[in-house]
Each structure stands twice: as C-alpha cells, then as structure tokens.
Amino acid sequence: MDLDAAVADIDLVSMAFWARPPAERLAAFARLRALDHPVFFTEPRVPLVRAGRGFHALVRHADVAEAGRNAKVFSSEPAATSPEPPPWISLVFGTPMVNMDDPRHARLRRIVSRAFSPKMLTRLERDIETTAARIVDDVVHAGAGDFVEQVAARLPIHVICAMMGIPHELRPRVLGHIDAMTAYSGVRGSLTSARTLRLLGANLKAIVELHRLVARLGRQRMREPREDLVSALVNANVEGEALSVRELGSFFDLLLVAGNETTRNALAHGLKLFTDHPDQRALLLSDYDRRAAGAIEELIRYVSPIIQFRRTLTREYELGGHAFAAGDKVVLFYISANRDKAVFAEPDVFDITRSPNPHLGFGGPGPHLCLGANLARMELKIMFRELFGRLPDVRAVGEPRWLLSSFDNGIRRLPFASVR
Ligand code: HEM
C-alpha cells in the first residue's frame, strides 16, 4: 500500500471528519504526521465564500513552527482563515491585522499592543477577580447546571467589554450581536445553503451594529479623551500613530473573535480535564500558586482551543518534504503539532508538570503569536483559582456537547455539579 492510501479515509475538509470523536481525530492526525510529506486537501464550495484551491496540511510541530516563524514566505494575506472570506468583506469592514503581513501588520500591532501592556493587564486583573467571584457566587447558589453558559461564556466577554470600555448598559446588546456572530462561525460549511445564508445575514448585521457602536465610542474619545483604552488607541502617541475609527471597529471584531470563543472553550475543557484527571487536579490544588502556570500551559497544549490557521506561500519553498510553489496554501494544524511525539514525550498524557512545554496553542513563534496570550493565561488562572478554591468538588457530570467546527475546538454545553 502506498503512503497516501494509508490516510485516504482522512478528509480534513469534510465536516463529517470534525464530527468524529476527538480521540479519533487525534489518531488521524498521528497517522498524517507519520507520513514523509504533507497531504493535499481540496476545499468544498461554501455559499458566498471564495472557492478555495485547496491546501496542504502541515501537521508536524517542526513544520507548523517554521511556517509561523517565516512570515516572509508564509504570508497571512489575503487571509489567515480557511475558507477565505470574499474580498468585499475587507472592503466593507476593514482588514484585521491577523490577515496582514508586515509592515502593515507591524504598525497595527504596535498600536494595539497598548491594550496588552503590563499596566493595562494589572488594571484588568482586579476587574477579572471581581467578575470571577461574582460568577462563582452564582455557581454556589445554583449548585449545578451548564458550565458553558453559567461560567465559561461569561468571563471572556466581560473582559473584552471592560478592556474596550463598553458601558455596562450597552453590554447586553453587544452580547446579542456576538451570539449571532458565533452562531455563524461555529457551524459554517455544515449546513444547507438557506440556513447558512440566514446565519450569515445575522452575522453581517451583528458586525455592522458592533462597528457602529464602537465607532461612536471612538469619536467620543477623540473629542474628549479619557484614561481608557479606546482613548489611547484613537489618539496619536508620541510617534504620531493612532487607529482610525474604522480600524478601531476591525480591532474590536478581532478581539471578539480571537479572545472570546477561545478562552471560553479553554475554561470548559479545563473543567472536563480536571474532572477526568483527578490526580492532576489534586496536584494542582495542593499548591495552586506554584502549579497553576504549568497547568494552564498544559491545558492549552492538550486542548488547542484554536485548531488551525492558514498561510499562503509568497515564493517557491521546500518544507516537510514537499516543494511548494508561490500561491500554494498551507493550513497550520496547531492541534496536531501539540501532540507531536518528536517534541512532547507521551503527548497524549495530560501532565501539568510538563517542562519544557513548547506548545503552539497560541500560534507559532512568529509575528502573529497570540497578542492576548497573557490576558488569556490571567483569566484562566483567576477563574480556576476562584472556582476550585471555593468549590473543590465542582466537576463535569456528563458528556460535553461538542461544537462542530474545524476552527474552534469548542464545547457548547457541559453539565456540571458542585458539592459544598
Ligand atoms: C486560550 C485562549 C486563546 C488561544 C488558544 C488563542 C490562540 C491564538 C492563535 C493560535 C493565534 C495565531 C493566529 C495565526 O496563526 O495567524 C492568535 C492570535 C491572536 N490572538 Fe489569541 N488566543 C487566545 C486568547 C486571546 C485573547 C484573550 C485575545 C484578546 C482579547 C486574543 C487576541 C489575539 C489577537 C489580536 C491575535 C492576532 C495577532 C496578530 O495577528 O498579530 N487571543 N491567538
């Protein structure tokens, strides 16, 4: 049997593949990693989305890391997602920096890094602690329910709204728009055209509303700057750099897309993992402050909340045993790189003491490395400290309902109970 025939049953572009149980998908990636070259997949047509030409799947840690690091060859333009959004999306809503190369990307990243400075994070820390305490108060009161709705979904969105200075009275509206955006991105590609179109329509309307809301806030802060992030972003710094109101809208979308679903899924997976691995939970709780940082890195490695991002080659290049041509697409499967036994001993073991832990869950070591990684780490650390500190017996009590997606490794529902 030739090598590719050994993996002919693996179809990474079919939603049927992503509907398979997580362990089966991981076993499929292990078989792809064993090949001596990346496999090509042809993309199906998705309504209103540009037909893809297909891509090679990068599945080994070394290949994914190199593609992330070498951004001159592995470009994030015209888009780092797969399938690729049609060009009119960028024309109407602007281009998020995740879909840009340097120097355009570097300019935006320099400006928005103000949002993630140690000073900003310290300011947010107290806010996160208060919110986490309030969420756990509600959990103590409820005793049981759905962990995603009652815990995991609440913290990240609150943090992003707090960062952007969205007034409290506007937050329910913002949440409604975000739900519309999530409903579309979570199920894309798996639906009949009519339903996809309806969800897409609601998604676009939500983006327009969010842009309007943030643009209004941006214009206010240009007129009357305050001590908040939006003021810092729209008013020029000493180098004369600032975001335009349109760029501000695009940045807010990116925060919502990048920082909401990801952290929510990491929290939900965390409860599941610390239920399934009582030894690791006992170890964590035996000395939380010392163990938490390692536990969070291992959680991100083991789960890979973001399954993949894409790149387009700018020139001929050889990687992982394949000669690529300019214009070829590759998809960087972070979820596979994080289980590569060439880098991680016993990669399928969840071990919170793993060290070193050079996982790629926050992306490769290149210009697009997750800007919110430290914020996400802080949210996870505070939430689990509050939760396990006050409810040491809180646990998942049923199977998760998985999100059907080839992008977010998501959990939609997770029954939990706590014993006081
Ligand atoms: C567990 C949580 C998170 C995970 C697993 C995660 C993962 C990732 C990954 C894999 C990338 C790389 C994109 C690429 O390859 O092109 C990325 C980029 C990014 N993330 Fe995160 N992320 C998380 C949380 C957050 C949070 C909380 C924020 C902000 C509120 C955030 C903001 C961003 C931004 C702005 C980028 C784009 C960076 C650039 O293009 O320069 N992320 N993230």
Side-chain angles (χ1 to χ4, degrees), residues 271-283:
L271 183 70
K272 166 108 181 88
L273 278 173
F274 286 114
T275 302
D276 293 348
H277 300 272
D279 57 325
Q280 296 299 301
R281 178 192 186 106
L283 189 60

Side-chain angles (χ1 to χ4, degrees), residues 98 105 109 254 258-259 262 300 309 311 334 361-363 367-368 370 372:
V98 73
H105 163 264
R109 186 153 170 140
L254 179 59
T262 46
I300 300 297
F309 263 101
R311 299 291 189 268
Y334 297 125
F362 288 119
H368 293 278
C370 177

